Amino acid sequence: VAFLVAFHQNKQLIGDRGLLPCKAYLRSVQQYFRGRLGWEALSYAPTILWLMDWSDMNSNLDLLALLGLGVSSFVLITGCANMLLMAALWGLYMSLVNVGQIW
């Protein structure tokens, strides 16, 4: 359910023209660490979005939400919940949560 909600709300909340754009947040984190994308920046805001192209953040957010929705639907339908699938779901979910900022 969380990935479905994220798919419908991310663009309006943390998308390119959202209330608190995650691109601006990631840039401010990067500036805080003097432009370096090192362990400090990754541990401060752990997200897969660091590794993606930031030119169209709405597509990136949709991709993460749809991947999470697909993997979680697979787990729900098949009942196959191994460690790799659950780690992937955790990584996708935390990637969205960590750029959500404080409201």
Side-chain angles (χ1 to χ4, degrees), residues 64-78:
L64 292 179
L66 287 174
L67 280 173
L69 188 60
V71 173
S72 61
S73 296
F74 175 78
V75 169
L76 181 67
I77 292 168
T78 63

Side-chain angles (χ1 to χ4, degrees), residues 23-85:
K23 187 187 306 186
Y25 174 69
L26 291 175
R27 282 193 182 129
S28 69
V29 170
Q30 195 173 25
Q31 286 177 349
Y32 179 77
F33 291 104
R34 297 184 181 96
R36 294 183 312 234
L37 181 60
W39 180 249
E40 294 87 15
L42 288 173
S43 65
Y44 184 81
T47 180
I48 297 171
L49 292 171
W50 286 116
L51 307 173
M52 300 174 90
D53 181 26
W54 293 0
S55 62
D56 187 15
M57 195 60 79
N58 287 341
S59 297
N60 293 342
L61 294 170
D62 283 347
L63 177 67
L64 292 179
L66 287 174
L67 280 173
L69 188 60
V71 173
S72 61
S73 296
F74 175 78
V75 169
L76 181 67
I77 292 168
T78 63
C80 176
N82 61 25
M83 187 173 137
L84 291 176
L85 291 174

Side-chain angles (χ1 to χ4, degrees), residues 1-12:
V1 172
F3 289 112
L4 185 60
V5 170
F7 179 70
H8 286 291
Q9 293 183 353
N10 275 348
K11 291 182 284 298
Q12 292 82 13

